[in-house]
Amino acid sequence: MSRSERFSRHAPAPVPPGARWWRDAFVLARWTRRLTMLALLFFAAAAWSYWGEQWLPPIRTVVIEGELEHSDSDRLRYAALRAVEGKTFFDVDLGALRRALEDLPWVRRADVRRVWPDSLVVSLAEYRPIAIWIDVASGELSLLDANGHVFSAVPPSDDLPRIIGPAGQEETLLEAYEGLSRVLQPLGRLEVLQVGPTLSYVVRLSQGTEFVLGRLDSLQQAEQRLSWLAQRWDAIRERLGYAPVRVDFRHQQALAVAGPASIIAPPPPPESKGKKKR
């Protein structure tokens, strides 16, 4: 068998003229159905965008969830209703509502979701303040949370410790406050940590005792100095006969110690024993 004869066996059979016409008509009908479906979907979407939202009711209910301790419920409700006023289920801007709520004091995070057909559910998380932050340059007062984030709100209590320092050092100084609090725990509660622009440290306890550490290169150096003092505090009190109210570390190989005003104040002058002149 020749090579040409072998290939001729696998060649396609000729298509009758009527069969070709039928196949072309079938393909044309199939594509016609597809295009018709696409056209119907397009017109349905256009009709919905024009008339559909008019059939939906506006947002009627906004549910606010979360453990809220400091947030003003009236301000939350007003901000939420203002952001959804006149909006329906589909055209309400969830991002705008979330930003409006997160701009309020105490609101750390707001998550918003839709509930068919006319409701929204808002889950709020508040900041938890652990200290008052004061900018050493401007004197501006803010609050700090446990992550070192600064937020603006009215302090809920005067018992919060105060951290005073340069802007941008909030997280670092919060870590310093926590470390120095552990070191000074035997002496009392750390009430004020102040760090100046030149990184000079001043620490004050709740009972008024103040420790001036001066300029330090690291937090570890501050902890070492105060740890040394805490271990010898009782011996210092016993030797002086009183509890110091101010200890200054800025002197080489020496401490400057100040006592209470009643201790260091000079005694009043003695009264004259002579008779008063008339």
Side-chain angles (χ1 to χ4, degrees):
M1 182 182 294
S2 65
R3 185 175 181 181
S4 60
E5 291 177 351
R6 290 199 303 270
F7 279 108
S8 64
R9 290 184 178 182
H10 300 285
V15 180
R20 182 183 298 275
W21 176 88
W22 180 87
R23 187 181 63 181
D24 293 343
F26 176 78
V27 173
L28 179 62
R30 183 173 58 184
W31 279 104
T32 301
R33 287 195 300 270
R34 291 179 178 178
L35 293 175
T36 302
M37 291 297 297
L38 289 176
L40 290 175
L41 290 175
F42 172 78
F43 285 114
W48 174 260
S49 64
Y50 186 77
W51 289 293
E53 293 184 357
Q54 300 179 12
W55 302 335
L56 289 177
I59 296 295
R60 293 192 175 98
T61 305
V62 179
V63 179
I64 298 178
E65 300 176 338
E67 297 181 3
L68 305 180
E69 182 179 355
H70 306 289
S71 297
D72 188 336
S73 58
D74 291 335
R75 294 187 66 180
L76 290 174
R77 185 162 46 250
Y78 175 77
L81 294 178
R82 184 177 181 183
V84 303
E85 184 178 3
K87 304 296 184 180
T88 63
F89 184 84
F90 289 107
D91 67 353
V92 62
D93 190 343
L94 300 186
L97 174 56
R98 184 180 65 252
R99 290 189 295 271
L101 293 173
E102 290 180 349
D103 286 341
L104 296 177
W106 294 106
V107 178
R108 179 172 60 88
R109 188 185 70 252
D111 297 322
V112 187
R113 58 185 175 89
R114 296 180 174 93
V115 178
W116 180 264
D118 59 356
S119 300
L120 297 176
V121 176
V122 180
S123 299
L124 296 181
E126 280 190 332
Y127 286 105
R128 301 300 179 193
I130 64 170
I132 296 174
W133 170 261
I134 302 175
D135 190 314
V136 70
S138 65
E140 183 179 355
L141 186 146
S142 306
L143 295 176
L144 278 177
D145 69 357
N147 297 318
H149 296 154
V150 179
F151 63 99
S152 298
V154 178
S157 171
D158 293 335
D159 294 334
L160 288 175
R162 285 168 168 77
I163 301 177
I164 307 169
Q169 297 294 317
E170 296 88 354
E171 188 174 351
T172 301
L173 294 185
L174 178 60
E175 181 181 354
Y177 170 83
E178 293 172 347
L180 296 178
S181 293
R182 290 190 294 269
V183 172
L184 293 172
Q185 186 176 6
L187 306 185
R189 185 176 70 89
L190 179 55
E191 184 179 59
V192 177
L193 169 62
Q194 180 175 350
V195 179
T198 60
L199 300 182
S200 57
Y201 282 67
V202 177
V203 175
R204 186 167 71 245
L205 301 181
S206 57
Q207 65 267 31
T209 307
E210 185 176 79
F211 305 103
V212 182
L213 302 178
R215 183 174 181 177
L216 303 177
D217 297 328
S218 65
L219 172 62
Q220 184 179 6
Q221 190 176 0
E223 292 180 353
Q224 289 175 350
R225 291 187 178 184
L226 291 177
S227 178
W228 178 90
L229 181 65
Q231 294 172 7
R232 294 161 176 80
W233 186 252
D234 291 338
I236 293 174
R237 291 181 56 184
E238 183 177 355
R239 182 171 182 178
L240 294 175
Y242 57 85
V245 297
R246 191 171 190 269
V247 179
D248 194 335
F249 285 83
R250 292 176 296 178
H251 306 276
Q252 293 184 356
Q253 300 181 352
L255 294 177
V257 178
S262 59
I263 298 294
I264 62 177
E271 295 183 0
S272 176
K273 296 182 180 180
K275 294 182 179 180
K276 295 182 180 180
K277 295 183 180 180
R278 294 182 179 179

